[in-house]
Amino acid sequence: MSNAIHTLSPSTNKLLYEHPGTSLDEARQLAISAQDAQKSWKQVPLSERKAIILKALELIDANKQVLAEELTTQMGRPIAYTTKEIDTMRLRADYLLGIADESLKNLPGQPQNGFRRFLKKEPVGVAFIATAWNYPHLITISTIVPALLSGNAVLLRPSPQTPLVGERFQSFFTQAGLPRNLFQLIHCGSLDVLDQIVALPQINLISFTGSTEGGLRIREATVRRVVPVNLELGGNDPAYVRPDADLPYVAAQLVDGAVFNSGQSCCAVERVYVHADVHDAFVTEVQKELATYKLGDPFDKTTTTGPVISQQAVKTINAHIADALSKGAVDATPENATFSTPPTDGNYVAPKVLTNVTHDMRTMREETFGPVMPIMKVASDDEAVALMNDTDFGLTASIWTKDVGAGEALMEKLEAGTVFVNRCDYPSPDLAWIGWKNSGLGCTLGPHGFDAFYKLKSFHIKEQQA
């Protein structure tokens, strides 16, 4: 398999970027130079590290519009929304900067006369960070900021679909004053080469964001090493609409949760369970909401839904839809002229509403990763919770109800890393972004957002000889 990168525009399928790929030998040399740079970096006071990170963030802010346009070009999200990712990225970074001192301070042992004991948080060394294309700025900032602030060097492998994000980040952080070789890029288009790179002994931590299959492959590639692996993987996230819910509000929120970014979010709403008492009325509200959406050119500021990432994605999404329809699902998608007349070039998939779905259908069992909203009728809270938990994934889940107390009681029963009442599809920087089951290992963000990027060293000192 070639290691070269050929990035195609999702909206035109024209070539945007080419790179021969970083060979294993080149990656080894990058890792060795990163080791040397890290030895000096870990001695730099945290206050100085923070100042450099802040300067890099200011450079990113100053180039926000260019970055937004490049993001739309590379992954197809409508231009109306791409600057928002960069704004949200800054909020995440500011949170991480704000908790750095507390997160990285020494931990005291128990007092004892004649002894001094404490725990020091030491950097792991060289962190290999592989990011995904669907939210590349957010994913990258959630990992490189705690990695660098903790005193590590970074080898960043940007997604082959959004390579310019990696190029820009390296440029801005270098301009901000990061030492030479502390932040380097590895472009990799071959999973076989990636397997070999993560096995390099100079790499002390692997942080991977991507599919569950990709995460399992990373674990297999590192099975002969004792090395920490942090994984943010896929989801098949459910929502439950109780009979007392505010249906117009909930419909608007869940359509957005299912269709935003063309459904290409790890925490997108992929399954909706609705109490039988309000099922039909809810479907009507969903249809009203989706009728206002516009599928089209992502550089048109009125477009709400752009292309999906690739022709392979188109095939997978359509296969899930066809499977559901063949097993009795009903196409309840509203009339929308833009859905039937997408641009002739590009990877366009119209949003789809499916009713009469069951757990025998792929779209209810697998991650569709597209603008599909399957809606299933349930008879009770208990049935909804049982179906929501009937999955190998566990990233997020949401309950929609006017009775917040009842919603909180149901949250306790859900098997997911983040649970919502009356909200969805929102990783809050002050909470752990963590996957249960096959959705991940370890976490980013929140008060434990630095944990993966340091190792503990116990200091035990007897201050006087007997």
Side-chain angles (χ1 to χ4, degrees), residues 75 81 88 109 117 219 224 231 235 284 293 307 329 342 353 372 374 416 446:
M75 57 78 63
Y81 308 118
T88 305
R117 294 189 291 270
R219 293 196 76 188
R224 302 298 300 173
L231 303 174
T284 297
Y293 275 53
V353 179
V372 180

Side-chain angles (χ1 to χ4, degrees), residues 85-135:
E85 178 176 342
I86 299 166
D87 290 337
T88 305
M89 178 204 69
R90 180 59 190 266
L91 293 175
R92 287 192 180 187
D94 286 344
Y95 170 80
L96 291 165
L97 284 165
I99 67 168
D101 290 274
E102 181 68 21
S103 296
L104 296 174
K105 71 179 183 180
N106 294 344
L107 301 174
Q110 290 187 333
Q112 183 180 359
N113 288 338
F115 293 88
R116 184 159 49 93
R117 294 189 291 270
F118 60 94
L119 289 162
K120 187 176 182 182
K121 297 173 180 177
E122 294 274 358
V124 295
V126 177
F128 179 85
I129 296 173
T131 60
W133 52 263
N134 57 334
Y135 289 94

Side-chain angles (χ1 to χ4, degrees), residues 232-247:
E232 182 186 327
L233 307 176
N236 189 20
D237 296 5
Y240 170 45
V241 183
R242 297 185 78 237
D244 66 339
D246 181 340
L247 298 185

Side-chain angles (χ1 to χ4, degrees), residues 235-241 254 257-258 267-274 282 354 357-359 361-368 372-376 383-398 400 414-416 437:
N236 189 20
D237 296 5
Y240 170 45
V241 183
L254 289 181
C267 57
V269 174
E270 296 224 352
R271 299 177 286 146
V272 181
Y273 302 95
V274 183
F282 175 75
L354 300 173
V357 294
T358 70
H359 272 219
M361 300 171 184
R362 291 179 64 191
T363 193
M364 299 296 280
R365 307 295 302 178
E366 303 174 21
E367 185 176 34
T368 303
V372 180
M373 188 175 185
I375 302 173
M376 184 173 178
E383 182 185 7
V385 169
L387 289 168
M388 293 170 85
N389 288 338
D390 181 23
T391 177
D392 294 331
F393 298 100
L395 190 57
T396 78
S398 59
W400 301 82
L414 296 176
E415 298 168 355
K437 302 180 182 179

Side-chain angles (χ1 to χ4, degrees), residues 212-457:
T212 296
E213 293 77 10
L216 291 173
R217 183 162 177 159
I218 291 288
R219 293 196 76 188
E220 291 170 357
T222 57
V223 71
R224 302 298 300 173
R225 296 189 61 205
V226 181
V227 61
V229 176
N230 214 49
L231 303 174
E232 182 186 327
L233 307 176
N236 189 20
D237 296 5
Y240 170 45
V241 183
R242 297 185 78 237
D244 66 339
D246 181 340
L247 298 185
Y249 169 78
V250 175
Q253 295 298 308
L254 289 181
V255 168
D256 180 72
V259 177
F260 183 77
N261 209 38
S262 297
Q264 300 169 126
S265 305
C266 53
C267 57
V269 174
E270 296 224 352
R271 299 177 286 146
V272 181
Y273 302 95
V274 183
H275 195 281
D277 290 352
V278 294
H279 174 272
D280 293 352
F282 175 75
V283 171
T284 297
E285 294 297 336
V286 165
Q287 291 169 330
K288 289 179 185 177
E289 178 67 20
L290 198 53
T292 67
Y293 275 53
K294 180 180 178 180
L295 175 70
D297 176 4
F299 277 98
D300 181 340
K301 293 183 179 180
T302 65
T303 293
T304 61
T305 309
V308 297
I309 199 64
S310 66
Q311 282 294 304
Q312 182 57 53
V314 173
K315 292 178 182 177
T316 299
I317 296 163
N318 285 336
H320 280 206
I321 294 169
D323 172 77
L325 294 174
S326 72
K327 294 173 180 175
V330 174
D331 185 347
T333 310
E335 290 292 326
N336 184 312
T338 70
F339 293 179
S340 56
T341 57
T344 54
D345 297 322
N347 312 317
Y348 290 90
V349 177
K352 188 73 67 175
V353 179
L354 300 173
T355 58
N356 200 41
V357 294
T358 70
H359 272 219
D360 294 326
M361 300 171 184
R362 291 179 64 191
T363 193
M364 299 296 280
R365 307 295 302 178
E366 303 174 21
E367 185 176 34
T368 303
F369 222 59
V372 180
M373 188 175 185
I375 302 173
M376 184 173 178
K377 186 185 298 185
V378 295
S380 67
D381 290 354
D382 288 343
E383 182 185 7
V385 169
L387 289 168
M388 293 170 85
N389 288 338
D390 181 23
T391 177
D392 294 331
F393 298 100
L395 190 57
T396 78
S398 59
I399 304 292
W400 301 82
T401 177
K402 291 178 182 177
D403 187 340
V404 174
E408 286 192 67
L410 293 177
M411 292 170 86
E412 296 285 351
K413 301 177 182 180
L414 296 176
E415 298 168 355
T418 298
V419 288
F420 299 93
V421 167
N422 298 330
R423 198 173 196 183
C424 64
D425 191 22
Y426 185 86
S428 185
D430 58 326
L431 297 176
W433 193 240
I434 182 169
W436 286 21
K437 302 180 182 179
N438 286 347
S439 287
L441 185 67
C443 76
T444 54
L445 301 178
H448 293 279
F450 284 80
D451 289 6
F453 300 99
Y454 63 76
K455 54 191 176 186
L456 293 173
K457 186 174 184 178

